[in-house]
Amino acid sequence: MSIYQFAKSIALLAGQRIREELSQELIIETKSNPNDLVTNMDKATEAFLVSQINEQYPDHRIIGEEGHGQDVTDTEGYLWVIDPIDGTLNFVHQQQNFAISIGIFYNGEKYAGVIYDVMNDKLYHAEAGHGAYLNDQQLPALKDTKLVTSIISMNPNWLTKERTRDMYVPIVQAARSSRSYGSAALDFAYVALGIIDSYITLRLHPWDFSGGLIIAEEVGAVVSNQLGEKLDPLHSNSILVANPGLHQELLNDYLGPYRSRLSEIHQGQFSNR
């Protein structure tokens, strides 16, 4: 079994464990703020994934949202970046619209991405250079769209904050429509699937975007931060993912005039990555 096949298999197993234990009582804690939640299920799922990886590939390194691999400072060798439950608020309140996300890199280069929509039993996956899939169906290459005919996904919180609302409100107003799904991994998957055309957000961690980055780029999406710079699996960043034509329109026409402010935001949020 290849590393890619193994990653898919443990995501499916972890999802099965979550579904089987949904009726059990959740222990909910807060992290950085009252809306930044972690549950015993997040911790148990990460522990399961880490144990499976360590048993099969003891020389591989792992970064996980719930504390594994915090000492990783380079991308040498195989690096797994995992989010056991991306969309924990959705998991707690809805018991749906959350996903397991796995990104794997080799010497800093993309190797494979896996996103498992647990409750809908949908596995998005890609091996770099070999296309992206939903379960066994290969996803077609994305087609360019214009903002005026596009559906975008954006956290509405950014539309209310004084420092960001004048950057983002015009995008929402110009788009055909907007959505907010509450799971970065699923937002990436939905761009890859073509059911939304762009996902735009500030302040994502590597475990939020690493799996989706690989999958989205395999269907031709352009993934960058909002300054147009490449993402990497060790650093938090802002996100702009879209089909190529829309990415260029958003970057040049809508975010470009705010480059100085975005640079200041980046300096403040990401300078101590």
Side-chain angles (χ1 to χ4, degrees):
M1 181 184 297
S2 68
I3 298 170
Y4 172 47
Q5 297 296 336
F6 175 75
K8 291 191 290 181
S9 71
I10 63 172
L12 291 171
L13 285 173
Q16 180 181 341
R17 288 165 56 96
I18 291 172
R19 289 192 298 269
E20 290 173 349
E21 297 175 11
L22 274 179
S23 61
Q24 297 185 11
E25 182 181 0
L26 282 179
I27 301 170
I28 304 170
E29 304 171 33
T30 60
K31 295 192 286 188
S32 62
N33 63 67
N35 298 322
D36 186 12
L37 304 182
V38 62
T39 72
N40 55 314
M41 192 73 77
D42 293 77
K43 295 178 180 180
T45 302
E46 180 162 306
F48 170 77
L49 292 169
V50 168
S51 68
Q52 293 292 306
I53 298 165
N54 283 338
E55 181 177 346
Q56 187 74 16
Y57 303 108
D59 57 329
H60 291 194
R61 294 183 299 165
I62 305 166
I63 297 175
E65 179 176 11
E66 307 311 332
H68 289 86
Q70 296 305 310
D71 57 342
V72 175
T73 58
D74 63 71
T75 57
E76 183 179 351
Y78 280 100
L79 175 66
W80 297 63
V81 187
I82 61 176
D83 192 338
I85 297 180
D86 183 77
T88 300
L89 273 173
N90 291 349
F91 173 70
V92 169
H93 287 271
Q94 304 170 354
Q95 293 195 337
Q96 59 182 334
N97 299 319
F98 63 90
I100 296 167
S101 177
I102 300 173
I104 310 173
F105 300 83
Y106 180 67
N107 290 336
E109 298 297 322
K110 298 175 296 180
Y111 169 69
V114 175
I115 294 171
Y116 186 39
D117 181 345
V118 174
M119 301 310 294
N120 290 310
D121 192 26
K122 292 183 176 181
L123 186 71
Y124 302 86
H125 55 95
E127 184 178 13
H130 297 279
Y133 292 79
L134 169 53
N135 296 329
D136 296 326
Q137 185 70 39
Q138 185 168 4
L139 300 181
L142 295 179
K143 297 179 180 179
D144 285 348
T145 62
K146 297 289 187 181
L147 182 57
V148 68
T149 60
S150 296
I151 296 177
I152 64 164
S153 180
M154 179 184 292
N155 186 331
N157 287 337
W158 303 120
L159 305 178
T160 67
K161 297 183 183 298
E162 182 177 358
R163 202 173 185 195
T164 55
R165 63 190 179 202
D166 60 333
M167 291 192 297
Y168 297 140
V169 167
I171 296 175
V172 172
Q173 290 175 329
R176 173 165 283 171
S177 189
S178 60
R179 301 287 186 270
S180 180
Y181 292 100
S183 165
L186 290 179
D187 277 305
F188 272 90
Y190 294 161
V191 172
L193 192 58
I195 61 175
I196 61 175
D197 301 294
S198 179
Y199 173 47
I200 307 166
T201 193
L202 287 173
R203 205 166 56 219
L204 278 194
H205 298 293
W207 45 83
D208 297 313
F209 64 73
S210 289
L213 160 72
I214 297 168
I215 293 169
E217 290 191 340
E218 279 300 302
V219 294
V222 179
V223 183
S224 71
N225 68 15
Q226 293 179 24
L227 295 170
E229 300 166 340
K230 184 179 178 180
L231 307 179
D232 74 76
L234 296 181
H235 295 153
S236 300
N237 220 319
S238 65
I239 297 295
L240 174 60
V241 52
N243 61 69
L246 182 57
H247 186 280
Q248 184 175 17
E249 181 182 359
L250 289 166
L251 191 64
N252 294 342
D253 298 345
Y254 288 88
L255 298 174
Y258 298 97
R259 187 173 182 84
S260 295
R261 190 188 306 176
L262 282 166
S263 295
E264 292 174 2
I265 293 171
H266 274 246
Q267 185 175 1
Q269 288 188 339
F270 309 122
S271 59
N272 296 319
R273 297 182 291 188

